[in-house]
Amino acid sequence: MHSASWSKVVGFGILLAVVGCGRYASKPEPSLYDRLGGKPAITAVVGDFLQAVGNDGRVRHQPAAERVPALRGLLVDLVCQASGGPCVYGGRDMKAAHAGMGISQAEFEAVVDDLVKTLDQYKVPKREKQELLALLAPMRNDIVEAQ
């Protein structure tokens, strides 16, 4: 076979393989943001989570009432961005935001417990809950100052 013809056959074969595989390729999996229900669902969860933390006697450090709406917005943006959504978190990094507060491991665990209970209240599936907690877990080292 002539080399130019052979090149055409190979090229055509590659084209068929790409087009054929495209029919059977799986759709990309939705982001965690989408699987959580997007910004409306995140906003609802964050609102109830902040209420749970505010009512939790194990959590000593409570934001002043006038700061709660701003904090809610920051947390929504944080979770939205971390989960692959379109939001941009514009707050301080966790270390700066919690510096000098003396937050203990027990207090941090109480807040995580409140988050898990809130996610359970909204029936967030186990996989999504684990993914979200895994995204937030590294913040522990920047938040906890006291043992």
Side-chain angles (χ1 to χ4, degrees):
M1 186 179 276
H2 193 273
S3 66
S5 297
W6 180 248
S7 299
K8 288 179 185 176
V9 169
V10 170
F12 185 69
I14 291 172
L15 178 65
L16 281 177
V18 169
V19 170
C21 289
R23 287 185 183 169
Y24 302 105
S26 62
K27 293 180 182 177
E29 183 174 25
S31 67
L32 177 58
Y33 171 81
D34 290 327
R35 289 182 283 130
L36 288 171
K39 193 167 183 178
I42 291 170
T43 300
V45 169
V46 167
D48 286 352
F49 162 69
L50 284 174
Q51 188 172 12
V53 171
N55 293 327
D56 190 336
R58 301 173 296 170
V59 181
R60 298 179 303 126
H61 298 88
Q62 298 288 340
E66 65 272 7
R67 289 239 335 108
V68 171
L71 180 59
R72 181 181 299 116
L74 288 170
L75 288 176
V76 167
D77 286 346
L78 178 73
V79 172
C80 174
Q81 179 179 329
S83 63
C87 307
V88 176
Y89 173 70
R92 296 182 292 166
D93 65 77
M94 292 299 110
K95 192 166 201 74
H98 297 89
M101 293 176 71
I103 295 174
S104 69
Q105 177 66 30
E107 196 170 2
F108 181 83
E109 288 173 5
V111 171
V112 171
D113 184 52
D114 290 334
L115 177 57
V116 169
K117 287 178 182 175
T118 305
L119 294 170
D120 288 343
Q121 173 188 329
Y122 279 87
K123 298 180 180 9
V124 173
K126 182 178 180 180
R127 176 179 170 213
E128 283 72 17
K129 185 174 18 176
Q130 288 175 334
E131 283 183 45
L132 180 60
L133 293 171
L135 288 170
L136 301 176
M139 296 177 188
R140 180 233 173 264
N141 292 336
D142 291 334
I143 295 171
V144 174
E145 292 181 323
Q147 298 303 322

